[in-house]
């Protein structure tokens, strides 16, 4: 850099001028002289700086991206925890003492698989007693039937009165009612005996089982849970801006850190119509294809909901945007010279963003090195 040029007055001339002036004039003269010197220094410095800038021949290495029309899937991303769509409690329907645990946590079950057994002896005795009562009522009813039929025959020959016939008919109806009651009691006793075996109502696996052999259990109080790993789902929360994009049945890609190299297909099954957390998020339920049984309830997954597809659009990597710029700014390369372009942004798939205007098909877009560029600087593509 050339040193600033300072114009100096000769010392004799300066002394002569000061000797011929009053004190007040001397002070004013000195101030004016210093100001003039500063102006000269500033102008000289700016001139040298402009000379340096105009001579900037740096070459900035950059990486470029060839802008071409493409199809872009627009997505909304969210995170949630897998849960079973089909699950039910393990609940005994009769009281008693647990005498056997046939299945435990983690064991697979089918419809009708016995999970635990309650002491059947009291219910077996009750069933036998009900059976005896039913048989007795059946014999009594058959006897009253025969008596009534005989009474009808005697009535035709007028060997018995009408009142006696009606009494026999009443006995027959009463015996039939007793038989029906005894039959119901017998069937109930049979059912209670069957219910001493607590079985699974669905296909799945035992997720929880909080019971010990010898423990007294009561009807209606859950002892554990069965879940289905085939029918699983995840509920995610979306913002009010994203919930309006949702349509039942749209495609979802599910990923998890447990299987980083794989993705699982999903479908939006239910869309919440009311916001949670004071309206900040809206629930969306996604069913997941888990035919291989790899995903388990409780796993954390990422859902990429594909809500639209745009064809023949100009989309660029998000990282190509210049950091810290007040307006969206991209750099393209023409004849090894960087050119800044203010652009209008469109929708994004999370990784790429659609450019509505500002660049054209075929442009060489800078995707690395753009944050140190300015207009007209030379670049080298690597």
């Amino acid at each position: 850099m050339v040193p600033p040029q300072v114009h100096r007055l000769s010392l004799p001339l300066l002394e002569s001028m000061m000797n011929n002036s009053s004190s007040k004039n001397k002070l004013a003269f000195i101030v004016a002289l210093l100001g003039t010197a500063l102006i000269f220094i500033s102008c000289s410095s700016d001139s040298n700086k402009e000379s340096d800038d105009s001579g900037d021949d740096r070459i900035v290495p950059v990486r470029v991206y060839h802008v071409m029309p493409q199809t872009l899937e627009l997505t909304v991303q969210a995170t949630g925890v897998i849960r079973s769509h089909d699950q039910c409690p393990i609940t005994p329907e009769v009281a008693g003492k647990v005498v056997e645990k046939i299945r435990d946590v983690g064991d697979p079950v089918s419809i009708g698989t016995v999970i635990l057994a309650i002491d059947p002896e009291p219910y077996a005795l009750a069933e036998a007693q009900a059976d005896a009562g039913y048989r007795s009522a059946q014999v009594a009813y058959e006897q009253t039937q025969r008596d009534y039929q005989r009474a009808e025959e005697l009535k035709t020959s007028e060997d018995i009165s009408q009142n006696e016939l009606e009494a026999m008919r009443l006995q027959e109806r009463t015996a039939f009612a007793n038989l029906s009651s005894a039959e119901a009691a017998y069937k109930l006793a049979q059912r209670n005996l069957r219910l001493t075996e607590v079985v699974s109502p669905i296909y799945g696996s035992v997720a929880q089982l909080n019971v010990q052999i010898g423990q007294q259990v009561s009807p209606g109080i859950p002892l554990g849970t069965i879940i289905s790993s085939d029918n699983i789902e995840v509920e995610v929360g979306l913002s009010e801006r994203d919930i309006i994009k949702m349509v039942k049945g749209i495609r979802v890609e599910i990923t998890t850190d447990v299987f980083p190299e794989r993705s699982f297909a999903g479908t939006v099954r239910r869309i919440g119509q009311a916001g949670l957390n004071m309206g900040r998020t809206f629930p969306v339920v996604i069913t997941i294809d888990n035919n291989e049984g790899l995903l388990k309830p409780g796993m954390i997954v990422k859902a990429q909901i594909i809500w639209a597809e745009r064809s023949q659009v100009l989309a660029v990597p998000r990282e190509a945007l210049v950091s810290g710029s007040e307006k969206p700014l991209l750099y393209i390369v023409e004849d090894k010279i960087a050119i800044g372009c203010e652009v209008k942004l469109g929708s994004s798939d999370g990784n790429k963003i659609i450019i509505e205007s500002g660049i054209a098909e075929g442009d060489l877009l800078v995707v690395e090195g753009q944050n140190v560029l300015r207009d007209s600087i030379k670049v080298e593509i690597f």
Side-chain angles (χ1 to χ4, degrees), residues 275-328:
L276 305 177
N277 301 322
M278 300 181 67
R280 295 178 182 174
T281 59
F282 291 78
V284 173
V285 177
I286 301 165
T287 57
I288 305 173
D289 184 359
N290 192 37
N291 292 334
E292 298 179 61
L294 297 177
L295 300 178
K296 307 295 182 184
M299 286 184 175
I300 298 175
V301 295
K302 298 175 183 177
Q304 187 164 280
I305 307 170
I306 303 165
W307 61 273
E309 186 177 279
R310 299 285 173 82
S311 300
Q312 296 298 304
V313 295
L314 300 182
V316 303
R318 272 188 169 275
E319 59 269 20
L321 290 166
V322 176
S323 301
S325 177
E326 293 182 359
K327 296 181 179 180

Side-chain angles (χ1 to χ4, degrees), residues 135-200:
R135 292 177 184 276
S136 176
Q138 194 170 26
V139 170
Y141 172 65
E142 290 173 354
Q143 181 62 47
T144 56
Q145 268 191 319
R146 289 192 294 269
D147 291 344
Y148 178 65
Q149 290 174 356
R150 184 181 177 188
E152 282 188 320
E153 293 173 358
L154 293 174
K155 179 65 174 64
T156 56
S157 60
E158 297 184 353
D159 289 336
I160 62 172
S161 65
Q162 183 65 32
N163 289 338
E164 290 175 320
L165 180 62
E166 290 296 332
M168 296 297 295
R169 185 178 182 182
L170 180 59
Q171 289 178 2
E172 189 262 348
R173 289 182 176 179
T174 301
F176 178 75
N178 291 337
L179 175 61
S180 298
S181 178
E183 183 181 16
Y186 177 52
K187 289 181 178 180
L188 179 61
Q190 286 181 314
R191 176 180 178 273
N192 287 341
L193 181 59
R194 288 195 304 270
L195 291 177
T196 58
E197 292 184 336
V198 181
V199 301
S200 171

Side-chain angles (χ1 to χ4, degrees), residues 315-331 341-348 350-357 359 365-372:
V316 303
R318 272 188 169 275
E319 59 269 20
L321 290 166
V322 176
S323 301
S325 177
E326 293 182 359
K327 296 181 179 180
L329 181 65
L330 296 172
Y331 275 99
C341 303
E342 289 187 2
V343 295
K344 180 181 178 182
L345 304 180
S347 301
S348 171
N351 297 318
K352 292 184 178 181
I353 189 166
I354 295 175
I355 305 300
E356 303 288 356
S357 63
I359 60 174
L365 175 70
V366 179
V367 293
E368 286 188 30
Q370 70 276 16
N371 291 322
V372 297

Side-chain angles (χ1 to χ4, degrees), residues 103-118:
R103 291 289 187 272
D104 212 333
V105 174
D107 290 343
V109 293
S110 302
I111 296 176
T113 299
V114 179
I115 299 172
L116 57 90
I118 297 171

Side-chain angles (χ1 to χ4, degrees), residues 37 72 80 102 112 140 172 218 230 286 317 350 357:
L72 193 68
I102 302 170
E172 189 262 348
S218 301
D230 293 334
I286 301 165
S357 63

Side-chain angles (χ1 to χ4, degrees), residues 33-77:
L33 184 61
L34 291 174
T36 302
L38 290 174
I39 291 172
F40 279 126
I41 292 172
S42 176
C43 291
S44 177
S45 177
D46 290 343
S47 176
N48 289 331
K49 182 177 180 181
E50 290 175 1
S51 176
D52 289 345
D53 288 346
S54 62
D56 188 354
D57 57 355
R58 290 182 303 144
I59 299 178
V60 179
V62 297
R63 188 183 298 276
V64 297
Y65 172 87
H66 200 185
V67 179
M68 294 295 291
Q70 57 188 281
T71 297
L72 193 68
E73 291 180 337
L74 303 182
T75 63
V76 171
Q77 296 183 350

